[in-house]
Amino acid sequence: MAFRVAAGALASTAGLLLGCAATTPSPPPPEETLVVLNAGDGSLTLLPVSVVAPAETIVLGDIGGTPLSLATRGSQGLITTGAGSTVARVDFSFGQSPVVYRLEAGAGAAGAAFVNDSIAYVANPFIDRATRFNFKTGDTVSVATGHTPIAVAVTRGRVFITNANLELPCAGPLPCVRGPSWLTVIDPERNVVIDSIALAGPGNALAIEVGGDGLLYVLSAGPGGTESGRLSIVDPVLRVDVGSFGGFGALPNDLATDRRERLFVTSLEAGLMEFNTRTRRVLRDAATAIPLQSGMAVAVDDEGLVYAIESGSCAGTPGRIRIFRPNLTEARIAPAGVCPVDAAIVKLPPPPSQ
């Protein structure tokens, strides 16, 4: 009994001491920020999403080519330059100059995705390969893909590359599509191809997203003209195409998920469209889309606000960010840089004053 009384007294004393000890306040949570990549003036537009505040502009400087695509993880970003065959790594938190990595001459640098904080993959559409970057060691190594790899997604420990299957040297102006697209599946640990997944639809697959349900959503733009683009649903575990849906008009160009059940699609011609991943229905097709002035990209924040990026004419005048409430009524418009081409939501530490 004496031991129990002593132990209880010690516990009580320890509790009092802990109660009196100074505590360190928890740091404020990261804040969501919209990042828009502007090709026309080589800049980034950073727009806070939780408050109505002016956008910040970050000039990229010489990154070896014209910005094409943006991939993000935390506060880190990768910017690719298409024919420039370079990749620029940026930290949105500090506004430091980008670190530029040069790929094999003529390889091309299209879509990219992070595997983790130190590993990323970049599609090389001109040589039918993808490059694996290790940012800790500085090493790069490539792996064969299908024809004209364009976009990259990572889920279930695997890397999924969309192969647009284009005839790149053709005269245009519409894309010359050789046939249906497919996905190349890569094991990033061994950097080897382990599977390929055929996609239904018109080919020219150029965007891929991991939905809130864990499935992959692939947008195939097709050859343009009267043939409409399609959305494919791919099971990343079974590695099969489990659904294909039309109605997105000619040459849709981007898609974004709200990480629940809504998926938004943009196109230069139709505007902003919507697909529901739970009911698997096209809620807004090309005929009922919200009109945009050259809709180029789309992003969705945690509150369900939708950011539709309008590139405009790309003739020196700034593009626009159209911000829609979850019910798709317009909340406000913010300026972007010249000829915006891509956008993403990132979470950044708040300014030190907060």
Side-chain angles (χ1 to χ4, degrees):
M1 179 64 74
F3 174 78
R4 291 184 180 180
V5 171
L10 286 171
S12 178
T13 303
L16 289 171
L17 289 173
L18 289 173
C20 295
T23 58
T24 302
S26 300
E31 295 180 349
E32 283 193 302
T33 299
L34 174 73
V35 179
V36 179
L37 177 64
N38 306 302
D41 55 11
S43 71
L44 296 167
T45 300
L46 273 62
L47 182 70
V49 306
S50 59
V51 295
V52 178
E56 176 187 356
T57 299
I58 297 176
V59 178
L60 293 171
D62 183 10
I63 60 171
T66 302
L68 173 69
S69 177
L70 172 68
T72 63
R73 178 182 172 90
S75 64
Q76 300 295 306
L78 289 180
I79 297 166
T80 65
T81 62
S85 298
T86 60
V87 179
R89 190 184 186 196
V90 298
D91 190 321
F92 305 117
S93 299
F94 301 105
Q96 297 171 336
S97 298
V99 178
V100 180
Y101 302 85
R102 299 191 179 278
L103 299 169
E104 174 188 338
F114 286 90
V115 175
N116 51 43
D117 289 341
S118 58
I119 303 293
Y121 275 79
V122 177
N124 309 135
F126 301 145
I127 59 172
D128 296 345
R129 301 187 72 84
T131 299
R132 180 185 188 270
F133 284 85
N134 186 321
F135 297 113
K136 283 187 177 180
T137 65
D139 293 336
T140 60
V141 61
S142 69
V143 61
T145 63
H147 191 58
T148 334
I150 294 292
V152 188
V154 176
T155 187
R156 301 282 184 169
R158 298 290 183 258
V159 177
F160 295 83
I161 310 281
T162 67
N163 302 297
N165 199 16
L166 302 179
E167 197 66 61
L168 291 178
C170 77
L174 294 175
C176 296
V177 181
R178 295 171 35 157
S181 295
W182 69 97
L183 301 182
T184 296
V185 187
I186 297 171
D187 176 355
E189 292 294 327
R190 297 179 291 147
N191 195 44
V192 295
V193 174
I194 58 173
D195 207 349
S196 64
I197 304 170
L199 298 175
N204 192 15
L206 45 67
I208 184 170
E209 279 277 333
V210 182
D213 54 8
L215 300 176
L216 289 165
Y217 292 83
V218 186
L219 186 64
S220 293
T226 58
E227 189 167 351
S228 297
R230 296 189 68 85
L231 182 71
S232 293
I233 306 176
V234 174
D235 187 317
V237 177
L238 300 178
R239 298 178 195 159
V240 292
D241 185 341
V242 296
S244 179
F245 300 84
F248 297 99
L251 298 176
N253 51 29
D254 195 30
L255 73 166
T257 174
D258 71 346
R259 294 164 295 280
R260 291 178 284 273
E261 63 180 53
R262 304 180 77 181
L263 194 76
F264 295 93
V265 176
T266 56
S267 80
L268 293 174
E269 183 177 301
L272 180 65
M273 296 166 278
E274 181 181 356
F275 180 83
N276 187 282
T277 62
R278 178 179 56 83
T279 62
R280 295 193 176 180
R281 292 180 56 209
V282 180
L283 301 184
R284 282 182 181 269
D285 61 10
T288 59
I290 297 174
L292 300 173
Q293 295 179 10
S294 300
M296 192 66 189
V298 61
V300 190
D301 70 19
D302 283 349
E303 300 300 319
L305 292 175
V306 181
Y307 301 82
I309 311 302
E310 296 180 335
S311 64
S313 67
C314 288
T317 56
R320 302 195 305 175
I321 305 165
R322 300 270 300 278
I323 304 169
F324 296 92
R325 302 178 184 90
N327 64 2
L328 296 184
T329 58
E330 190 165 55
R332 61 190 178 102
I333 298 175
V338 177
C339 200
V341 291
D342 207 353
I345 298 288
V346 300
K347 293 186 178 182
L348 305 180
S353 60
Q354 297 186 17

